[in-house]
Amino acid sequence: AQSVTQPDIHITVSEGASLELRCNYSYGATPYLFWYVQSPGQGLQLLLKYFSGDTLVQGIKGFEAEFKRSQSSFNLRKPSVHWSDAAEYFCAVGKAGNMLTFGGGTRLMVKP
Amino acid sequence: EPEVTQTPSHQVTQMGQEVILHCVPISNHLYFYWYRQILGQKVEFLVSFYNNEISEKSEIFDDQFSVERPDGSNFTLKIRSTKLEDSAMYFCASSQGVAEAFFGQGTRLTVV
């Protein structure tokens, strides 16, 4: 069975600081991996995805993520956080056309 | 940019009543999904729908739940007899298959 673990429930960073959100997955085959962001009261917006190929993927809003098969990880990074990045971030694994399994989410707070 | 549209944004219903949640997926997408998120918990898969039939469902999706694509553009989730524990944010999503899923803004269902 597939599963996703986001070890950090809450993270607080200062505006302008770098950010790394951790995601570990368990999946029986080559996974499709996703990061979604949810602002308060909003839906889920796709930040980026990994299907195959280059293990470093670029997304919207200046985010990137790196797929490391040996570590079963797909960590999300941003070099300089903006106050508007405060939200909840969800890592997900699955096969396109099939169900996604989400992690528990990491709530990001940004200090001025 | 095309988007998934869900209505209503908030639904309050009495316990035991039937409720129907509405979704208009992106027009050229082939796969449709319902997920739910109980307050403070992770996003959970309910059901996927392809080629006019359920392709996959979770254990949450019991006989109280049903889905329908009544007219080729709408995709509905029906809960026959709502329980207090059905209170959650319900997300509709759609995908082309070999691609990421796009989520709607969600319908917040409150069962009283």
Side-chain angles (χ1 to χ4, degrees), chain A residues 59-71:
Chain A
I60 62 171
K61 305 184 181 188
F63 285 92
E64 66 178 27
E66 186 171 12
F67 170 58
K68 293 185 177 180
R69 185 188 301 275
S70 61
Q71 298 177 19

Side-chain angles (χ1 to χ4, degrees), chain B residues 55-106:
Chain B
S55 52
E56 197 165 5
K57 62 182 181 179
S58 72
E59 56 274 12
I60 302 168
F61 193 88
D62 61 21
D63 292 343
Q64 293 296 316
F65 291 89
S66 63
V67 289
E68 196 176 34
R69 190 156 160 79
D71 57 12
S73 62
N74 291 285
F75 180 52
T76 61
L77 174 69
K78 182 193 289 186
I79 309 175
R80 287 189 183 82
S81 178
T82 50
K83 304 187 282 286
L84 293 176
E85 54 265 37
D86 294 326
S87 295
M89 181 76 91
Y90 288 80
F91 292 107
C92 175
S94 68
S95 73
Q96 286 185 318
V98 188
E100 64 272 25
F102 290 84
F103 284 76
Q105 295 289 85

Side-chain angles (χ1 to χ4, degrees), chain B residues 40-57:
Chain B
Q41 298 186 24
K42 64 172 65 177
V43 178
E44 301 172 291
F45 169 79
L46 292 178
V47 65
S48 60
F49 192 86
Y50 170 73
N51 200 26
N52 284 318
E53 61 182 23
I54 290 173
S55 52
E56 197 165 5
K57 62 182 181 179

Side-chain angles (χ1 to χ4, degrees), chain B residues 3-44:
Chain B
E3 60 181 23
V4 176
T5 305
Q6 290 186 244
T7 54
S9 57
H10 193 186
Q11 175 87 47
V12 181
T13 189
Q14 296 269 349
M15 189 169 54
Q17 294 296 304
E18 174 183 287
V19 66
I20 298 176
L21 308 183
H22 298 268
C23 171
V24 179
I26 295 173
S27 61
N28 61 345
H29 284 186
L30 302 175
Y31 293 82
F32 314 108
Y33 314 87
W34 284 100
Y35 289 80
R36 79 172 185 189
Q37 184 183 30
I38 295 172
L39 189 64
Q41 298 186 24
K42 64 172 65 177
V43 178
E44 301 172 291

